[in-house]
Structure formats: C-alpha cells, structure tokens
Amino acid sequence: MAEAARAEVVALEAFPRVVPGVEPGRVLGLVGPPGSGLTRLGLALLAGPARRGPVAVVDVRGWLCPPAAWEAGVAPERLVVVRCPERSLWGRVTAALLEGLPAVYAEVPAGADEALLRRLGALARARRSALLLRPLRGALPSGLAHLNLMGEAVRWEGAGSGHGRITGRRLTLRAAGRGVGGSEQVLEVLDDGSDALRVVPRLAAAPAGRAV
Amino acid sequence: MVGAGMVLAVNGLAAAAGVAAGMRRRQAEALCPAVVTLAADPAADAAAFEVVATAVEDLVPRVEVADPGLLFVPVSGAVGYYGGEVPLVARVAAAVDEAGGQGGRLGLADGPFAARLAAAAAGDGPVVLADTRAFLASLDVAVLGREEMAATLRWLGVTTLGALAALPREAVASRFGLPGLEAHRLAAGEDRGVRPRSLPEDLAVEERFDPPLRDLEQAAFAARSLAHRLIEGLGPWGGAPHRVVVEAGSPSGETRSRTWRSADPFGEAEVAERVRWQLRAWVESGGVPGGLAVLRLAPADRSDRGRQLSLGEDAASELEATRALARAQALVGPEAVLQARPQGGRRPGERVQWHRWGEPAAPPDRDPRAPWPGRLPGPSPALVPPAPRPLEVEWDGGSPERVRLGSRWEPVLAWAGPWRQTGRWWAGEGPADCYQVVTSAGALLFEVRDGSCYLAAVYD
C-alpha cells in the first residue's frame, strides 16, 4: 500500500494512459469470479464510448442494475440493456449490436463456444466497435482479448461490525495481453460510488507473461 | 392535462379560472389550487379522437389527423356537394358534436396553416375565412412557431405576418435560409409549398401476417420495422413524407385507413408512434375483424428536402445504432431490449424505471428528487435479482456470522445495518431489515423479512 500511495493516481478517463482500456475495434476481457467487482468496472468503462453514441449491455442473468452505470458516468438515455438468457441467441444478439454501436459490454454465458467468441472478436475489429467480455465462469480463449483485466482482490470499505455502510472499494487488477505489450501490470481501482473512479497504476511490475 | 411540466390542454372550468395551455404546471396550480392534473397520454387521446375523425370522414373523405385532437379536412370537393362553405361547416360541426367532440373549434381557410389558426381563433361558432391572406396579415409573427426567427423579425421591426409577406422573398431567404422561405410562404397564404420530386410512384411498404395479429403490442412492434422500411426506402431520394397513410387489413379483405399529417417531415420514430396510436384507436373502436392481416404505410406529400441535422449530429452513426438495436429487438423481442431512467425508491431495484427501447417512457411513478429516507447511498450494487432470492445466513446473536454462497459457507468479514424498510404494508408486505455484508467472495445486500433471509443485491 505504501507503494500505492506514491503511485500516480489518474482518473478513469486517463485509463488508456496506464493500460489501453476501451478502444474501437478491441476486445477487453474482464475475468474473475462473481463478486470481484468487475461488473461495475465494465459499466464504468462504457462511459467514454457512451459520449459518442448509445452503448449496450448484454445481460445474460437479467440482474444488471443501471444505477451502477449511471454513477460511473453513463447517461441513462445512452444505455440500452439487452436481456438474453438464451445461450443459443447470445452470439447473434451480441453480433447484431456490434454492427452499429460504439461499445458493447456482454456477459458471456458459461460454455460459450470458443469459435463464436473469436468470430465476435473479428466482427468487433471489422466494425471498429469496442467489445467488453465478462465471462460468468472461467476465462476467455487465449489470444482473444487485446487486454485482459483480471480481478485479483477486492476490498470493500466503510462497513464495520454492525456499523457504517459500504462507501467504496479498492479493486486490484492484473492487466495482461497485447494491450500491455505482453508484460503484466498490476493496477488498483479506487471507487467511492461517484464517477471519479480512479486508477492507481504500477503497484508492482510482474514479470513478462503470456497473454491470456 | 400536463406533459413535461407544461399545461397542454384545459377544460372550460380551468380556463375560467385563468389556466391556459402553455403555462407551467405550478403556475396553473397557483391560479387554481383545486385543479386536477392528468398526465398526457397521446395514444389514449388518439383512441378517443378516432370517433370524431370517423364521424367527419363519413361526411368528407380523406381527412388527415395531425395530432390527436387536430384534424384537417380537405373541402374543395365537399363545398360544392354540400352547397357552400357555411352549410358544410355546419354539417361538420354537428357531426363533431354528435361524436362527443363538444367544444371543438372549426376553422375554414385556404390552407392547413391558416385553417389551424382560424380554428384557434374560433369561439363558440366556427370561423370561415373569406380572405385568408388578410386574416394572416394581422397575426403576430409568433404564430410561425419559430421563436428565434420571430425575435429577430421583431428586432427588425417586422411584427406581423402581413409585414413579413410584404418583404421580398429573396431577401427573407437570404437572411433566414430555408426556414425563412417557408415562413414567407406561410405568411403569404401559400401554405406549405411542397414541390414534388421525381420519385418512384409506389414507395408504400406493407407487411402481411399469417396468422393475423391479435395483440396490439405485436402489431405496434411490426409497425416499427415497417416505419423503418418506409423511411429507409425514401432515404436514397433525400425525401421525407409530410403525410403517411396507415392502412390495416383484415383476413376477409376489410380495410381501415387513416392519414396522419405533420408540418415537419416525418422521421422513423414519428411514423412508428403515429401508427401505434392509430392501431390503439382502431382497437378501442371495434378493432380489425379477425385480426390484423396486412399493415401498409404509404407516404404522401414528400418533402423536397431531407431532415436537417444539428451540428455535430452524426446521422450515419445514429442510423447504424438504431438498426443494430432494432435487429437485437427482432431477435429477443421488444420486452428484452430496455432502457432505464432514475425514479425514487429505497431499494436498489426500485430506483429504476424500465421501458422498452424506442418507446417513450411513462412519467416516473416515484419522484427521484424526493428525499427517500432510509435509501442506501452509493455505491449502488451492480446486480439486483429480479425478485429477492432465499439466502441462508448463520447468526451469532444479532450479528450475521456466515452466509451460504452456492455450496460454500463464507464467513462475514464486515457488516452494516440493519436498516428498516417498512415495505408496502397496504399491499400486505411486511417490514424488512436490510444488511450489507462483506465476505471474501464479495459484498451483498440482503434483507430479513418474517424471519427469512433474502438476497437483495450483489456489489459486483
């Protein structure tokens, strides 16, 4: 943490300066178990593209709650939630959205076909649309995402033993993939519930590893 | 009747108390504290107005609805048939009264613009203009409905339509561009000058349904894709319709038809909206026998210009986004492509008002600006189950010790609460106590009601 305090704290908008976040034509993987805080991060990353046009969330579970996106800076009129519990339709729905929207955040149902995921990646590149994939179970196929953000740890702040309330969180992420030049980076995201989500880069420099 | 905080329509009692259309709602309530305000519902208005439109159509064919409550009737042929303007207007007035449109205002003039203003000026009896141009000449430039242009004209000393019409048309066009040209035409009594372009004759689009549609929502959904096809078909010619004829056919070949008119060229959303209103109006006035077998949209009065985009508006991107969302909607259905807006409430799920994408949102049920004491402040949970799910919790005294997530028991690392939610007691819902708990597998919001625990939200 002492190193974190020394590190540069940048707003989420400057995320690309730290690691290339949501870019047109790129696939971003948000990989981690449920509860690791990646849904909220994915919604926050839609705020940038939402300034250019409507963005969509493919909601497989039907659980998505838009206030988390609104708090992160996505205008309500720019957010469209597409509920798609049927796995057989998921790929076609995501592809249809990629055809015309600047960014799509899609929960990936368990057991999604690898070939389908790669086709969606190719479509995102061809249409210059950003695709954020949040697998609900497991990881993404190797080499699919330009950048993988993996939830390492999350620390919820504010709640005690029967007092206080959750006021914020610190999310530790490991960034890997071509987007960080093949070398892994560790980041910490500070989220206090406002749209001033901040990123603390370079907590530690991990040795170069293979893109996930 | 109010919409977006403005008074849209008033009845006689409210008018007598000084309330008028165009006022802010608060101003109206200050003038008349006993006033009852109703939220605007154009679809319901269209359904109610359908009776009046049908009654007038029985006298004069090819009537055109501009808005629910505003009907244009072409009378050039009917005047001769009924023996003059005054007998015709009297017949129409009687038909409107009989159809339940008491208090309706009628105006007869040489074009829709002047006729609408004549009707607005009508009191108890109809207004039949002998000299349309003279009538227009005395009116203030504000009736053009272009505030900025009217302000500039006044600054230039041009305060009436007569003064505007007296200016050289080239000079007005040079100063104000296309809107100025249109304003000059209207002021001169020439009304909307549509210059037909050499377009293919039949740009109508239709959809056949087998089996026939019996559900209004299904038909409205089909209307949206048809509206999309209609406007897309006109796109290559840069035109947009001022009038759209909506036709619904039954399996037995019976057809119902209605023409909708707009001063500004129709866009896709406007066409879809008018068709939805019209379908609802037909459903509420007997429906289409046997269900909707054919839906047809035909453009008329095509404008000689496309839609003017605002600076920075990227029409191509917007159109692509609309198409993409429409395709997704076709795959998963209209109920699954949603937008949300904030509304008041204490629980996370209550603070969201969902509506279908592409359809107007109803006014919020609960005021989001109200304080809502007991509401959990941010950060909001990202995931909320559609209905609270049973959750197993182990307690030590009054403290939650462990929660069962899947097959594992997770120890509670920190917790906060409880916050008492009184619930909708009038609907038989008991009070609940809400707890935030933090475990190594994530943070949750759960509630305890009637001795049982339910998962209310996940902070993911």
Side-chain angles (χ1 to χ4, degrees):
Chain A
M1 281 300 108
E3 196 172 352
R6 286 198 306 273
E8 178 193 14
V9 177
V10 297
L12 190 68
E13 286 183 4
F15 204 81
R17 198 148 59 79
V18 185
V19 291
V22 179
E23 291 183 311
R26 303 281 198 204
V27 178
L28 177 73
L30 294 160
V31 183
S36 52
L38 292 169
T39 301
R40 197 176 163 87
L41 176 66
L43 296 174
L45 289 170
L46 286 178
R51 290 192 197 99
R52 300 196 301 275
V55 293
V57 173
V58 182
D59 182 11
V60 170
R61 296 172 286 188
W63 283 36
L64 191 104
C65 194
W70 302 338
E71 286 169 1
V74 181
E77 63 275 12
R78 287 288 174 91
L79 181 69
V80 182
V81 177
V82 182
R83 288 185 179 153
C84 183
E86 284 185 51
R87 208 171 75 184
S88 59
L89 285 177
W90 178 84
R92 289 167 64 197
V93 168
T94 308
L97 295 170
L98 284 173
E99 288 270 345
L101 299 181
V104 176
Y105 169 95
E107 291 179 341
V108 182
D113 184 35
E114 179 179 334
L116 173 63
L117 290 172
R118 292 194 186 281
R119 278 206 301 276
L120 289 174
L123 181 62
R125 283 191 290 278
R127 299 296 303 178
R128 304 275 303 150
S129 178
L131 175 61
L132 291 82
L133 292 174
R134 168 82 172 101
L136 295 181
R137 192 178 300 165
L140 292 172
S142 172
L144 170 66
H146 185 71
L147 177 73
N148 273 304
L149 295 176
M150 287 161 283
E152 293 282 288
V154 61
R155 208 176 74 200
W156 298 91
E157 297 173 336
S161 298
H163 57 81
R165 61 172 177 84
I166 291 176
T167 54
R169 61 175 180 155
R170 286 174 174 269
L171 173 64
T172 308
L173 298 168
R174 190 157 47 88
R178 294 186 298 279
V180 285
S183 65
E184 292 190 352
Q185 288 191 22
V186 177
L187 315 164
E188 190 168 73
V189 174
L190 313 178
D191 178 5
D192 62 358
S194 69
D195 59 358
L197 205 68
R198 293 172 302 161
V199 179
V200 183
R202 302 184 197 90
L203 271 176
R210 190 176 168 224
V212 178
Chain B
M1 190 167 287
V2 296
M6 304 294 287
V7 177
L8 301 176
V10 295
N11 65 5
L13 284 174
V19 180
M23 279 182 179
R24 295 204 64 79
R25 176 184 178 155
R26 285 184 181 176
Q27 193 183 353
E29 287 170 342
L31 280 168
C32 180
V35 73
V36 176
T37 55
L38 303 171
D41 183 356
D45 293 346
F49 192 60
E50 176 66 13
V51 185
V52 177
T54 307
V56 177
E57 197 170 36
D58 288 342
L59 293 173
V60 186
R62 297 199 302 278
V63 299
E64 299 172 9
V65 185
D67 268 316
L70 180 60
L71 188 72
F72 286 108
V73 187
V75 296
S76 53
V79 164
Y81 182 79
Y82 288 103
E85 290 176 343
V86 175
L88 169 66
V89 170
R91 293 286 296 267
V92 171
V96 169
D97 276 354
E98 203 172 316
Q102 288 87 354
R105 299 175 172 196
L106 276 76
L108 193 146
D110 288 344
F113 176 68
R116 186 171 60 79
L117 294 172
D124 293 335
V127 169
V128 178
L129 297 181
D131 185 346
T132 297
R133 192 165 176 155
F135 168 76
L136 290 173
S138 62
L139 297 178
D140 190 273
V141 287
V143 299
L144 291 167
R146 296 177 186 275
E147 281 179 28
E148 203 174 321
M149 186 192 296
T152 311
L153 286 169
R154 281 202 197 91
W155 183 72
L156 292 168
V158 179
T159 56
T160 63
L161 295 188
L164 175 61
L167 294 172
R169 184 163 291 177
E170 298 76 20
V172 177
S174 166
R175 175 65 181 79
F176 295 103
L178 191 58
L181 197 59
E182 287 181 354
H184 194 274
R185 282 186 187 138
L186 291 174
E190 296 172 25
D191 218 326
R192 198 187 63 243
V194 174
R195 287 177 297 175
R197 290 162 58 95
S198 55
L199 294 170
E201 276 308 305
D202 191 11
L203 284 167
V205 291
E206 72 172 35
E207 186 83 47
R208 292 181 175 274
F209 308 104
D210 187 17
L213 300 184
R214 291 177 177 275
D215 180 61
L216 176 63
E217 292 304 317
Q218 282 181 328
F221 181 58
R224 287 189 48 193
S225 75
L226 212 53
H228 173 68
R229 278 171 51 198
L230 179 84
I231 300 299
E232 194 177 46
L234 286 164
W237 288 273
H242 281 284
R243 287 192 300 156
V244 173
V245 183
V246 185
E247 283 181 14
S250 70
S252 58
E254 196 177 321
T255 302
R256 298 187 78 167
S257 168
R258 176 70 68 230
T259 303
W260 282 82
R261 160 191 286 270
S262 170
D264 292 319
F266 277 118
E268 184 180 324
E270 290 84 26
V271 172
E273 189 177 51
R274 299 315 192 271
V275 177
R276 191 161 56 84
W277 292 351
Q278 189 56 52
L279 289 169
R280 179 170 164 188
W282 281 330
V283 165
E284 294 191 8
S285 61
V288 181
L292 183 68
V294 185
L295 183 62
R296 185 172 190 272
L297 303 181
D301 266 14
R302 288 179 288 264
S303 163
D304 60 348
R305 63 188 170 92
R307 188 170 64 91
Q308 181 64 50
L309 300 172
S310 59
L311 281 175
E313 189 179 356
D314 183 350
S317 303
E318 209 166 277
L319 189 62
E320 278 188 7
T322 304
R323 285 177 183 164
L325 290 165
R327 274 195 294 272
Q329 207 177 37
L331 287 167
V332 292
E335 301 291 347
V337 181
L338 303 167
Q339 281 193 284
R341 66 178 189 176
Q343 71 172 0
R346 294 184 175 82
R347 294 187 174 91
E350 287 176 350
R351 297 208 293 268
V352 180
Q353 187 195 31
W354 294 97
H355 65 95
R356 293 174 179 179
W357 169 79
E359 292 182 12
D365 295 334
R366 297 178 290 273
D367 185 357
R369 292 163 299 182
W372 296 105
R375 135 187 188 165
L376 281 177
S380 294
L383 301 171
V384 173
R389 295 161 71 101
L391 181 74
E392 289 182 67
V393 181
E394 272 188 3
W395 298 84
D396 179 11
S399 310
E401 280 290 298
R402 296 197 302 168
V403 293
R404 190 181 177 107
L405 301 175
S407 57
R408 289 195 312 173
W409 283 95
E410 293 286 346
V412 171
L413 305 176
W415 63 281
W419 295 277
R420 172 53 65 104
Q421 310 273 346
T422 49
R424 288 184 286 267
W425 51 268
W426 60 92
E429 189 179 294
D433 289 324
C434 292
Y435 292 81
Q436 284 178 330
V437 294
V438 178
T439 73
S440 58
L444 316 168
L445 179 71
F446 75 86
E447 57 188 39
V448 184
R449 185 185 297 123
D450 299 331
S452 303
C453 299
Y454 299 92
L455 177 67
V458 179
Y459 291 86
D460 185 25

